[in-house]
Amino acid sequence: EVQLVESGGGLVQAGGSLRLSCAASGFAFDEYIIGWFRQAPGKEREGVSTIDIGDGLTHYANSVKGRFTISSDNAKNMVFLQMNSLKPEDTAVYYCAADPRRYDGTYHFKYGMDYWGKGTLVTVSS
């Protein structure tokens, strides 16, 4: 059974940093694309970043480019999202997601992923 468990969310002031973690289990880690999506209050879910575990190719939303970094620890089946220079508009529930189709980040931002975690809340205060 595919399981994705997020952790690391919390309250931080604008300009601060947080590191989110996603623990993956139940599937072949290096055969999936894994990413982070977020949903802010009253808004649709949007893609934040993806990483193809097999080749390391990454993709970022324009709104987070240069501030957020996605990475993986393949030996531990973990994916991370380092978030720096946080802004109030980054406030959202952040979801870890995975898909065996391994299309590029643009595709998955538009069409989503097959498997989802339950999310972790990030609140950025001004």
Side-chain angles (χ1 to χ4, degrees):
E1 181 180 354
V2 173
Q3 290 189 331
L4 301 164
V5 181
E6 304 95 335
S7 62
L11 175 64
V12 65
Q13 289 186 317
S17 298
L18 282 175
R19 189 193 195 207
L20 304 183
S21 298
C22 175
S25 62
F27 62 96
F29 191 67
D30 61 355
E31 295 178 3
Y32 280 63
I33 188 168
I34 300 179
W36 293 93
F37 293 70
R38 67 186 183 186
Q39 188 166 22
K43 295 186 177 181
E44 291 289 303
R45 182 181 288 165
E46 64 175 344
V48 177
S49 183
T50 61
I51 181 167
D52 186 303
I53 302 302
D55 62 17
L57 184 66
T58 60
H59 181 70
Y60 296 90
N62 288 335
S63 60
V64 307
K65 200 171 297 182
R67 299 189 297 122
F68 292 9
T69 303
I70 192 169
S71 62
S72 65
D73 183 338
N74 296 353
K76 296 181 178 179
N77 287 4
M78 297 281 291
V79 173
F80 307 98
L81 185 69
Q82 179 66 46
M83 304 185 294
N84 298 327
S85 301
L86 283 162
K87 305 174 181 180
E89 51 263 44
D90 294 318
T91 295
V93 176
Y94 283 72
Y95 299 89
C96 182
D99 200 308
R101 291 175 289 177
R102 297 178 64 197
Y103 299 151
D104 63 30
T106 300
Y107 175 91
H108 290 288
F109 275 18
K110 183 175 182 179
Y111 296 108
M113 308 281 248
D114 282 354
Y115 302 101
W116 297 85
K118 291 182 171 60
T120 185
L121 177 62
V122 172
T123 302
V124 184
S125 65
S126 59

